[in-house]
Amino acid sequence: MSRDNKTAHHLTYPRFLLSAFWRASEGSWVFYTWMTALTAIALVGAHAWALQLANGMAVTAMTDHVSWGLYIANFTFLVGLAAGGVMMVVPAYLYDDHDMHDVVIIGELLAVAALVMALLFVVVDLGRPDRFWHMLPGIGRFHWPISMLSWDVIVLNGYLLLNLHVCGYLIYTRYLGKKPDPRWYRPFVFLSIAWAFSIHTVTAFLYAGLGGRPFWNSALLAPRFLASAFVTGPAFIVLVLQIVRRTTRFTVPEGAIQRLLSILRVTVLVNLFMVASEIFTIFYSGGAHAAAGRYLFLGLHGHAELVPWIWTAISFNVLAAIVIHTPALYRDRRVLNAALILTFVGVWIEKGMGLIVPGFVPSTLHEIVPYAPSKAEWQVCAGVWAFGLMIFTVIMKVGLQAMTGEMRAPSAESDAHTINNDDHAEEAR
Amino acid sequence: MADAKDSTSATDTTVKRRVALKVLATTLGAGAFAKAIAPIQQFTASTNAQEWLQKHYRELSSRELREVLARLEAETKQKYGREVTIEDVRPQAGVQFAYALNLSVCIGCRRCVEACHQENNHDRASHNSYIRVLEMEQGSMDMERGRADYDHPVRDEGKFYLPVQCQQCENPPCTKVCPVEATWKEPDGIVVVDYNWCIGCRYCEAACPYHARRFNWRKPEVPAHEINPKQSYLSNRIRPQGVVEKCTFCLHKTRKGELPACLEACPTGARVFGNVLDPNSSIRWVLENKRVYVLKEELGTRPRFFYFFDK
Amino acid sequence: MNAHSPPRALHAALTLWLAATAQCANRDVQERLYAPADASRDAALFAVSIHQPRWLEAISTGHTDALGRVVEVRCETCHSTQQFALPTSATTLGGPHAGMRFEHGSNQCASCHDPARFDRLRMATGESIPMTDAMRLCAQCHGPQARDYEHGAHGGMSGHWDLRRGGRTRNHCVDCHDSHAPRFPQFSPAPPPRDLPTHPHPRGSHG
């Protein structure tokens, strides 16, 4: 800390930001193409959202029967993705997995990007986003602790701040060429582990607490959310780690990938087990409470709009589970990666069209009003994802370059400390 | 760009060129973004600073409320071309409202649905109403077997009719979930929404077990001559776009001692409304002498809307 | 490390919040949220009146006058000056009563009508009562309905639930029930709900 006190942060921090901006906008033609494409998609989404604001949410396919749709489905999924990043943090900090420790910042950066997307999906779902200030404690009327949504606002923003702090602190100290002071980030990391579980638990409680929606009103919902979050998080990160390996100087130890895959082997099965439990309860007991489940899995009263979705999701997840448990298959990285994409998409469907929509169909008066997202909804959805991926790309670029030592303050002491990635960076030069 | 040179071996001119390119790209991007979200202007034009800064209904002083009501009346005149009066009708001491509906005599004619549509200035295009009538199979209370879209002469043989509207629950799941307290239960039992405070998240709509809430998916349109000019802040004034609304037992009428519009429209007298605290009221007589039941009692919402049969 | 300890920050936030809430709950706002004491509490009650349908005292001739109004003729116009024989069934009726449908159990004309004076009704006790008192007659057989009516649980109405603040008008039995065929008729309901505003052919239903 003594050395920290000597640093004139009011001078170095702006320089750090400037340097970060410069580096974030430097790259190969692949990078520029990628960012340009994302920008274009994000602009299409922004335009669709502006039109939705001007003309009303009638441009979506939502109705008073299915009053939440694609937006809230994506929100739920992304909260899971953000929480899934913790599957890197737990081995790195609780079990001192050194390989994982080297790459753990990627999980935290993913949490930041996923949370930004999740919060954006809430904003685009609001009928009156202009009245956001009504939620601010003090000047608005924040209905805490009664409303589960108020809890969600707290835990999501809290988790975003925690991860921004941890990542920001680590990146900045690396930029300064200093060894991070554990007192400034370790407590926050441990807090963030518990917090990661809370964000997805609270999000599940949002639905599970509604007695009028039997499909959601299940104690299994929160555990199921966590299980599927711990499928998507590791699957996405394994894919990202391979991209990082190819496109940056950052060293990705194979141990980290293997650890994530072994976590995934368990969570994929746990998730499938929980889906099977739900299916058993629905079909063995039957009755009115099973109507939504019937509609989802088999179709009801001649309506079967969600049946293809859910069976696609289940077959994707089963296929992925088979691949990652069969050495002959997963040893081929292309097959493995295909399986990771399958399970990622599988959970996305399962949590969206497979979980949010059947909560509303049949409606509380047992009417079947089907829902399929409108063009405007798909556009906004793609826009938010594109914007989130832009954020993720940029913070990964800056973060990893600080970690490797490519981005350093002019005053940085080059011998401050050495870790794997610094060594790697030195070699690369 | 002070740090640019610490990692690039480029000359000053390349750096300058890159800076220029980045500035250009950023400008282009910002311009495109401004263009993309331009339709927002249409939205901002529909609202104003006073509305945006307006306090929660329950925090407005008498003077502030008078200003709000005057502003809303002026806006209705300007947007809908009709002189209306918007009052703030308060709950009466010693009054607790309850409603009962006789399923033996309801014939499913939807006159109540129409009366609600007109009384409460609902959007004409969507033909919105707070009441939904289910045609049920005789011999079954399973809503799974009911349907709301029947369109044939009523009452049909072998059927009974179940009108459903806000049950004004004692333990409302909808008010509990609201993140901004834009909806709450009033002292006389009516659950209301401050349409100027609602953020439109529709969590209440998901929480309601009775399909009682409606969202304004677009700006409601009502021709000037069809507007009911007797309005109140918490009930039938024309709602803004993007907020949730619901049945208020016509509080602009009932808090003045009048009967709700749906009851007055009922041709069969299936509906009974009144003050449960008055031992001589019709509603009390029904509750004490008929075998009444409530919808989805198992949810513990404790509705103030009761159903009964004559035989 | 000299950061704010979380509990202290939380306490500060809570204090701020409480102060804000207290300010909101000032007296003016509190007073505004409840109606002033009801001055009409002990006032005399307004009346409950029963609607008197015109056809209890008059009958349409099927003609309209120059202004388009239905020409009616009062019962006593014919029945106080002429004597008619009591018909054996409704189908044999002619004149202004031709084409009458009779579906009211096994009742005979004389079950309700006073054979001595056709413009009046006759109770089971033999008491002759005017047409306008028809509800007393109905109540002889329809006890449960009459009881429910008496308690406001049968029959349509309009006006006030609170009689301290205004009157109430109630329907007469014959407003809704044709005394000769009292079963409530079938008719077309108002249109069904339109549930899917974004779709041209909305249909929310069971398939």
Side-chain angles (χ1 to χ4, degrees), chain A residues 34-170:
Chain A
W34 167 247
M35 291 301 276
T36 310
L38 290 182
T39 309
I41 298 170
L43 286 175
V44 169
H47 184 63
W49 176 68
L51 284 174
Q52 171 187 305
L53 212 52
N55 301 325
M57 296 190 78
V59 303
T60 72
M62 288 185 273
T63 57
D64 286 324
H65 290 83
V66 186
S67 50
W68 281 340
L70 194 63
Y71 300 155
I72 294 299
N74 274 288
F75 156 76
T76 312
F77 176 79
L78 284 161
V79 173
L81 190 58
V86 83
M87 278 297 123
M88 300 183 82
V89 186
V90 170
Y93 285 89
L94 292 186
Y95 299 109
D96 286 326
D97 177 331
H98 293 290
D99 283 352
M100 194 64 94
H101 205 287
D102 293 343
V103 294
V104 70
I105 194 160
I106 294 174
E108 290 157 347
L109 291 174
L110 173 64
V112 171
L115 282 169
V116 168
M117 285 190 263
L119 292 170
L120 276 178
F121 271 115
V122 174
V123 171
V124 298
D125 191 62
L126 291 183
R128 300 299 300 230
D130 54 318
R131 297 183 183 166
F132 70 95
W133 69 268
H134 294 178
M135 237 195 265
L136 301 180
I139 56 166
R141 277 177 89 100
F142 192 53
H143 199 193
W144 184 84
I146 305 298
S147 169
M148 280 323 289
L149 201 50
S150 72
W151 280 93
D152 220 21
V153 168
I154 291 177
V155 294
L156 291 179
N157 285 297
Y159 196 58
L160 181 59
L161 290 178
L162 270 178
N163 280 287
L164 277 176
H165 166 72
V166 172
C167 298
Y169 177 72
L170 290 178

Side-chain angles (χ1 to χ4, degrees), chain B residues 84-96:
Chain B
V84 301
T85 48
I86 302 178
E87 286 181 83
D88 173 45
V89 195
R90 299 308 313 148
Q92 303 295 305
V95 175
Q96 292 282 323

Side-chain angles (χ1 to χ4, degrees), chain A residues 22-23 25-26 47 57-58 64 67-68 125 128 130-131 134 141 143 147 175 206 213 364 366-367, chain B residues 1 3 7 18 22 36 52 59 132 144 177-179 195 197-198 201-203 205-206 215 217 296:
Chain A
W22 179 262
R23 292 200 161 264
S25 51
E26 285 290 287
H47 184 63
M57 296 190 78
D64 286 324
S67 50
W68 281 340
D125 191 62
R128 300 299 300 230
D130 54 318
R131 297 183 183 166
H134 294 178
R141 277 177 89 100
H143 199 193
S147 169
Y175 165 80
L206 213 66
R213 305 276 173 192
T364 47
H366 299 251
E367 293 175 79
Chain B
M1 302 296 126
D3 293 329
S7 55
R18 306 214 92 179
K22 283 180 186 184
W52 192 70
E59 289 171 15
R132 202 170 176 84
E144 192 74 19
V177 299
C178 179
Y195 311 125
W197 193 260
C198 171
C201 72
R202 307 188 297 292
Y203 195 10
E205 212 174 5
F215 182 71
W217 298 97
K296 306 194 185 189

Side-chain angles (χ1 to χ4, degrees), chain A residues 41 51 118 135 168 180 222-223 244 268 292 312 318 324 338 341 348 372 393 412:
Chain A
I41 298 170
L51 284 174
M135 237 195 265
V244 167
V268 158
T312 307
V318 169
I324 60 171
I341 293 170
W348 182 81
T393 311

Side-chain angles (χ1 to χ4, degrees), chain B residues 220-280:
Chain B
E221 287 302 345
V222 192
H225 67 278
E226 288 181 22
I227 289 177
N228 173 8
K230 286 190 203 163
Q231 305 182 358
S232 93
Y233 183 89
L234 289 176
S235 63
N236 65 338
R237 70 183 165 102
I238 302 178
R239 275 73 66 188
Q241 173 179 302
V243 303
V244 169
E245 58 177 76
K246 64 180 289 297
C247 163
T248 60
F249 278 176
C250 286
L251 65 80
H252 50 280
K253 279 164 72 75
T254 50
R255 281 181 178 171
K256 293 178 174 174
E258 292 172 41
L259 289 161
C262 47
L263 187 149
E264 290 189 305
C266 180
T268 69
R271 290 168 171 267
V272 182
F273 177 84
N275 177 12
V276 272
L277 298 185
D278 175 2
N280 300 318

